């Protein structure tokens, strides 16, 4: 008897379930393209940059740093020539000789010029940081000065390294 009840309940349950699944209720989502799918994934166009407003105080500071950089270049180049002559005179001489000590002293003077150029680069970086902290746009004259300072410090490093390599090591 239990089998008959089981068969009868299955016989009733299956058609009801199948009938419920086959009904067209029109509740399925459409496969048509949705509005969000018509948009691309490309980044939106960047807004036009703001025109750069002149900053007289910054221009004055940049002019001062540029003048100091020019003086440092002249001094370094003058002393680099003297140092190269001293290093040439020290070649083949013993470490600690008068010629070697003269060349080392001249190299120390070049290090001083390089330190001054590095200090200027730091000052220019400070100006840029201060400007960035106020969310002001980049200032081309300041960017150019920073590039010139970086190039000058690299040039001075290369010159000092070249002259140092020509001297006998201690």
């Amino acid at each position: 008897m239990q089998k008959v009840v089981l068969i009868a309940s299955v016989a009733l349950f299956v058609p009801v379930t199948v009938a419920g699944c086959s009904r067209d209720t029109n509740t399925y989502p459409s496969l048509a393209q949705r509005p969000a799918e018509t948009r691309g994934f490309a980044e939106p166009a960047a807004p036009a940059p703001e025109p750069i407003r002149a900053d007289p105080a910054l221009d004055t500071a940049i002019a001062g740093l540029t003048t100091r950089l020019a003086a440092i270049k002249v001094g370094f180049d003058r002393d680099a020539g003297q140092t190269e002559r001293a290093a040439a005179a020290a070649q083949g001489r013993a470490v600690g000789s008068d010629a070697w000590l003269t060349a080392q002293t001249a190299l120390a003077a070049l290090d001083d010029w390089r330190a001054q150029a590095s200090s200027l680069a730091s000052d220019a970086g400070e100006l840029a940081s201060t400007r960035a902290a106020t969310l002001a746009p980049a200032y081309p004259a300041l960017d150019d000065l920073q590039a010139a300072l970086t190039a000058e410090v690299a040039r001075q490093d290369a010159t000092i390294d070249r002259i140092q390599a020509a001297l006998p090591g201690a």
Side-chain angles (χ1 to χ4, degrees):
M1 171 125 190
Q2 282 183 340
K3 271 186 168 182
V4 173
V5 173
L6 181 64
I7 292 173
S9 62
V10 170
L12 286 174
F13 179 72
V14 171
V16 170
T17 305
V18 172
C21 291
S22 67
R23 245 181 34 189
D24 186 16
T25 60
N26 213 8
T27 58
Y28 296 107
S30 168
L31 295 178
Q33 200 171 31
R34 293 181 293 249
E37 294 172 340
T38 60
R39 297 183 190 163
F41 291 103
E43 290 291 323
E50 291 182 24
I52 297 175
R53 287 184 234 140
D55 186 344
L58 184 58
D59 287 336
T60 301
I62 290 171
L65 292 175
T66 303
T67 301
R68 287 174 49 199
L69 174 60
I72 289 170
K73 279 183 179 181
V74 169
F76 181 87
D77 290 342
R78 179 193 63 232
D79 287 355
Q82 293 172 356
T83 304
E84 286 177 349
R85 288 188 292 279
Q91 286 181 344
R93 304 282 174 99
V95 172
S97 67
D98 286 342
W100 185 84
L101 289 171
T102 300
Q104 291 295 330
T105 303
L107 272 172
L110 291 184
D111 279 336
D112 180 55
W113 288 114
R114 178 178 51 189
Q116 290 180 47
S118 294
S119 176
L120 281 182
S122 178
D123 292 347
E126 180 78 22
L127 290 173
S129 294
T130 301
R131 187 166 174 80
T134 64
L135 301 178
Y139 204 72
L142 182 57
D143 293 343
D144 293 345
L145 175 63
Q146 285 186 294
L149 285 164
T150 300
E152 180 60 20
V153 170
R155 182 184 76 89
Q156 290 179 2
D157 281 341
T159 301
I160 291 170
D161 290 346
R162 180 178 46 77
I163 294 171
Q164 182 70 44
L167 288 172

